[in-house]
Amino acid sequence: MKKTAAGMVLLVALAATGFGQGADQQAPALAGGGALQPQRPGIYHRGWIDLDKNGVKDVYEDPAQPIDARVDDLLRRMTPAERIGQLWQRKMGADSVAQDAALLAAGGLGSYLGAAPDAGRRNQLQRAAVEDSRLGIPLIFGFDTIHGFRTIFPIPLALSCAWDPALVERVDAAAAAESAAAGVDWVFAPMVDIARDPRWGRIAEGFGEDPWLGGQMAAAAVRGFQGGNLADPGHVVACLKHFVGYGAAEGGRDYNSTEIGRFTLRNVYLPPFQAGVAAGAGTLMSAFNSLDSVPASANRFTLTDVLRGQWHFSGFVVSDWAAVEELVDHGYAADKAQAAVMALGAGVDMEMVSDCYRSGLPALLASGRVQDSAVDAAVRRILRVKFAKGLFDEPYSRPVTPAAAAAAALAREAAARACVLLKNDGASLPLRDGGTVALIGPLAADRHDLLGCWFGLGRDEDVVTLRDGLAAELPGTKLLVARGCGLTDSDTTGFAEAVAAARQADAVVLAVGEPAAWSGEHNSRSDLGLPGVQQALFDAVAATGRPIVAVLFAGRPLAVPSVLARAAAVLMAWHPGMEGGPGIADVLTGKTDPSGRLTTTLPASVGQLPVYYDHLATGRPFIEYKDGPTAPSRPFGFGLTYTRFAYGPTRLSAERLQSGAITVTATIANVGARAGTEVAQLYLHAAACSFGARPIRELKGFQRVTLQPGETREVVFTLTARDLGCWTPGGQWQAEPGRYESVIAPDAASGRMTGFTLEP
Ligand code: BGC
């Protein structure tokens, strides 16, 4: 290894600060990185450090060469140990710099996770990998930026309720910028698992129950995180997770097994991943669960046959945390060596945390149980992403401060748009300024629980509470605040104060729901009501006869039929993030009209689960439960506004479709007294399908329409034969000739279908 003198000077400066402050203090902000000039002729690197390893610009070191040529050149130079090293990801900790020095110098590691918040440490580790190792292969640093990094946005489930992929894209672009500025190259998001059982706490992290809508959101998230060019320093590599079926955990118990038939797998669980792959996602994470008795992280059918064979995914697959070693716990692999054989053979390129590859592959290669070509294929895929991300050319991250104010404004907008108005009797909402409002409940002035699960580097002190949000928007209103009770305990001593406040008020806003720690990973529930004594608090306040506006905070759909029956208005606010208070206040006061729609069915009871709109028909009339409601509390797609919309009948441009297209039209009128935004939803039903029976309704499109009072608009969708198809169990997209029906409706339970024929 030979370094140039100029390079050495800069390396010393970096070593002294851990962050290159000596060298790059004057460096332009990341966005202006293009302004950097080569330091002297012959130095290929466009930045501030000379990284060539032998005084010669080798092909892999030359940014002007195509990525595949660089990968080939580098791979040729790598020893088996260096190749195996690329396949391992460790957790970054306070002692990583000292502990991993020899490992990094030997080229024995490919990646760290948990890179944030320490960009300085990140750069120190990167320096060890790049400058102390023989070939100088950079590490890639990953982090769980799930709904924001430092600025925390609504949970993904909430965000999906805005039915606006462009909003998802903007939010994830902002999250990417903050992540990248802190040294994160790669985020473990979006989670695109379809979830139909709200007992599963990770329903919070996804985009709901619908495969088509999930695909739209997945693609938007990938665009937001990755931007147009992965090497753009303000963007990060996305990771579609968890492949696949994780959301179907039996009983909603996290990590539990799943049984999913091929037709359902193809048409429900795979589509969002496929959309994310088509949008160019750089990586994908293999899941913890077993799928039909084969663990997802050893599933060659999904990871290789489908993902690479049919979808032509060219990025790399990382396992979920220790999921390779857990093949032993699953009772699938006999030991760690066999786990390595199975996972690598299935198509898992990088092993997160556990070390089956590192400990097992040397002997497995020597004995011929694993072929060199299998390791090379995985290394190649990882290197390709590292080159595409520009890590060979800009391995170090630089301190920049993203625009915090813009992110906060976006977080407020997103929090408002995520709200779904479930009920509004007697126009209880919007609240008018003046008089007295009692703001009651454990979430009235709570900060932490508004952040929700996976809150990155979000801080409680940055959360704006509902109390502060309302006080700012209702300056002429006397606000009486009473906590009433805690979120989960059984202490009722605060009830008296809450009831007294309600009695003095013209209206009550009751802020109730779930703690942040009850959703997300490892958090399942067996009951979907209000935790602790919150229902009793609701009952006590309701007994005063004051009209209640219930604001529900949760990481999942709740089953709260009594709240829905007895409150005058109910607003589902989810876990809304840092600007939750102002965002919700904007909706409660009508500054922002509610326009969110449910992306999951709202169950009436746990006994109904799983409950989702696009179920199959049965051979006999749908049976009713003897002891409780059969219909859910609110259907998929549901959400009220402060005005009312009337739909005319769905009309078709033709009764037959062959080639060409058919248009589906409906007239929507704003028949209320305020402006409002409707989300017109297009549903399809295939009357007969020989590959597998199709759901009673499938979402195929939507349009957002903002109408003034009295205004009418025609909403038009176009369907081609292709739009009518489904995935066969073998993975072909097929639209069978026959009878179809469609409807434009405000939610999955409304409207009358009208039919047409697809001719051969
Ligand atoms: C989770 C993943 C996450 C990973 C890294 C796992 O336990 O299932 O979603 O990305 O940890 O933190």
Side-chain angles (χ1 to χ4, degrees):
M1 180 170 74
K2 180 168 156 280
K3 287 179 183 123
T4 62
M8 285 306 280
V9 172
L10 292 170
L11 297 180
V12 171
L14 268 172
T17 60
F19 207 177
Q21 283 159 2
D24 73 339
Q25 198 117 60
Q26 305 307 321
L30 280 184
L36 293 169
Q37 296 300 321
Q39 288 170 328
R40 58 173 205 276
I43 298 282
Y44 62 83
H45 186 262
R46 76 185 174 104
W48 33 278
I49 190 163
D50 175 6
L51 296 170
D52 82 310
K53 302 300 291 187
N54 55 7
V56 177
K57 191 203 290 184
D58 295 311
V59 170
Y60 82 89
E61 293 171 322
D62 183 355
Q65 296 290 331
I67 285 180
D68 281 333
R70 298 178 80 182
V71 171
D72 286 344
D73 181 59
L74 177 54
L75 196 61
R76 200 165 48 75
R77 296 166 194 271
M78 294 169 75
T79 63
E82 286 165 340
R83 294 175 198 212
I84 293 169
Q86 285 304 303
L87 311 185
W88 195 26
Q89 180 185 60
R90 300 196 85 181
K91 175 147 174 57
M92 186 171 122
D95 47 5
S96 297
V97 176
Q99 202 181 59
D100 294 349
L103 180 74
L104 296 173
L109 193 69
S111 173
Y112 280 101
L113 83 152
D118 199 338
R121 193 188 308 146
R122 179 251 191 232
N123 280 354
Q124 281 183 288
L125 292 164
Q126 187 71 304
R127 192 173 61 249
V130 168
E131 290 157 36
D132 298 344
S133 72
R134 200 174 67 85
L135 293 166
I137 304 175
L139 299 156
I140 183 166
F141 292 85
F143 186 73
D144 284 288
T145 297
I146 305 301
H147 52 113
F149 177 76
R150 180 72 180 77
T151 305
I152 302 306
F153 297 94
I155 53 169
L157 178 62
L159 209 53
S160 70
C161 291
W163 286 61
D164 186 358
L167 181 66
V168 171
E169 187 172 338
R170 285 161 64 210
V171 162
D172 286 338
E178 289 187 359
S179 304
V184 174
D185 309 309
W186 173 27
V187 294
F188 303 124
M191 187 192 97
V192 301
D193 293 307
I194 293 299
R196 299 174 157 202
D197 188 334
R199 290 174 295 183
W200 190 54
R202 300 198 82 168
I203 197 171
E205 296 174 55
F207 299 124
E209 74 185 37
D210 184 69
W212 182 85
L213 193 61
Q216 303 290 309
M217 301 296 175
V222 170
R223 289 194 299 270
F225 283 128
Q226 297 193 165
N229 174 7
L230 259 193
D232 173 352
H235 286 100
V236 291
V237 182
C239 183
L240 304 166
K241 69 187 190 183
H242 307 80
F243 201 63
V244 57
Y246 187 39
E250 276 185 10
R253 286 197 301 283
D254 201 11
Y255 316 125
N256 209 5
S257 336
T258 66
E259 295 289 330
I260 304 172
R262 279 290 152 93
F263 191 66
T264 304
L265 183 70
R266 290 280 189 190
N267 287 291
V268 177
Y269 292 93
L270 287 175
F273 286 94
Q274 189 171 9
V277 166
T283 70
L284 184 142
M285 187 184 291
S286 67
F288 286 130
N289 58 290
S290 69
L291 174 62
D292 306 346
S293 305
V294 177
S297 290
N299 200 311
R300 195 175 159 84
F301 168 68
T302 53
L303 289 168
T304 294
D305 299 353
V306 173
L307 182 63
R308 272 121 184 183
Q310 294 178 342
W311 298 354
H312 311 294
F313 174 64
S314 62
F316 73 84
V317 173
V318 63
S319 78
D320 204 342
W321 182 290
V324 177
E325 186 166 0
E326 287 177 15
L327 298 179
V328 178
D329 302 290
H330 273 280
Y332 192 64
D335 53 27
K336 283 173 66 174
Q338 195 186 6
V341 174
M342 288 173 150
L344 189 73
V348 175
D349 302 310
M350 185 182 278
E351 179 179 2
M352 186 188 283
V353 182
S354 57
D355 68 345
C356 304
Y357 286 6
R358 176 179 149 81
S359 62
L361 283 175
L364 291 164
L365 284 173
S367 69
R369 255 179 96 194
V370 170
Q371 302 298 309
D372 290 334
S373 57
V375 170
D376 290 358
V379 176
R380 188 180 289 281
R381 292 193 278 251
I382 292 166
L383 292 177
R384 209 185 283 131
V385 171
K386 289 186 175 182
F387 276 112
K389 180 69 196 108
L391 288 166
F392 280 83
D393 312 320
E394 289 282 2
Y396 302 108
S397 75
R398 292 179 230 184
V400 284
T401 313
L410 179 58
R412 179 175 184 159
E413 178 192 342
R417 296 197 40 206
C419 287
V420 183
L421 185 61
L422 299 175
K423 180 178 181 182
N424 192 19
D425 274 6
S428 317
L429 290 174
L431 298 172
R432 281 156 286 270
D433 198 11
T436 303
V437 168
L439 174 61
I440 296 172
L443 288 147
D446 177 277
R447 293 179 195 276
H448 178 75
D449 295 289
L450 270 55
L451 292 173
C453 58
W454 292 108
F455 49 85
L457 300 194
R459 295 182 196 155
D460 292 1
E461 64 264 31
D462 292 332
V463 175
V464 186
T465 64
L466 180 56
R467 177 195 57 205
D468 293 348
L470 270 181
E473 294 306 315
L474 297 174
T477 302
K478 185 171 177 199
L479 212 54
L480 304 173
V481 182
R483 187 161 174 268
C485 62
L487 278 168
T488 56
D489 58 60
S490 54
D491 183 1
T492 56
T493 49
F495 281 23
E497 185 199 6
V499 167
R503 287 215 173 94
Q504 294 169 54
D506 306 305
V508 175
V509 174
L510 200 72
V512 288
E514 285 185 330
W518 279 31
S519 55
E521 186 177 355
H522 203 79
N523 297 306
S524 299
R525 293 190 63 184
S526 64
D527 179 84
L528 297 175
L530 296 173
V533 290
Q534 295 183 75
Q535 183 64 50
L537 175 69
F538 176 92
D539 296 343
V541 173
T544 65
R546 293 293 183 281
I548 296 179
V549 173
V551 180
L552 302 176
F553 294 81
R556 52 166 62 78
L558 297 175
V560 283
S562 133
V563 173
L564 280 164
R566 292 159 66 209
V570 181
L571 187 72
M572 189 76 205
W574 311 105
H575 285 144
M578 229 158 77
E579 290 287 319
I584 295 165
D586 287 345
V587 175
L588 292 177
T589 59
K591 188 173 175 180
T592 301
D593 283 312
S595 65
R597 303 290 187 275
L598 294 173
T599 55
T600 49
T601 302
L602 200 73
S605 70
V606 171
Q608 295 180 333
L609 301 179
V611 60
Y612 48 92
Y613 85 93
D614 57 341
H615 60 84
L616 302 181
T618 55
R620 302 189 171 186
F622 214 61
I623 81 134
E624 303 281 324
Y625 290 116
K626 293 266 184 260
D627 55 355
T630 303
S633 280
R634 297 287 184 276
F636 174 87
F638 181 88
L640 299 172
T641 62
Y642 290 154
T643 187
R644 282 179 302 115
F645 295 97
Y647 280 64
T650 300
R651 291 168 279 134
L652 301 171
S653 60
E655 285 180 0
R656 300 180 183 283
L657 172 64
Q658 199 168 32
S659 55
I662 196 166
T663 56
V664 189
T665 309
T667 304
I668 301 177
N670 181 345
V671 294
R674 287 175 63 108
T677 299
E678 176 63 338
V679 179
Q681 301 156 33
L682 175 72
Y683 292 97
L684 182 83
H685 171 60
C689 177
S690 66
F691 306 113
R694 307 260 302 260
I696 56 156
R697 272 190 187 199
E698 298 172 56
L699 183 72
K700 290 290 169 191
F702 68 89
Q703 283 177 37
R704 304 172 58 78
V705 246
T706 300
L707 298 178
Q708 299 303 315
E711 195 182 347
T712 294
R713 180 97 42 94
E714 290 236 301
V715 181
V716 182
F717 294 90
T718 305
L719 289 173
T720 63
R722 201 184 146 68
D723 297 320
L724 310 182
C726 67
W727 295 101
T728 66
Q732 307 293 318
W733 182 260
Q734 295 276 350
E736 279 191 325
R739 201 72 192 141
Y740 291 83
E741 299 181 295
S742 107
V743 66
I744 298 172
D747 60 60
S750 311
R752 265 193 56 204
M753 293 254 179
T754 171
F756 61 97
T757 303
L758 176 64
E759 304 207 312

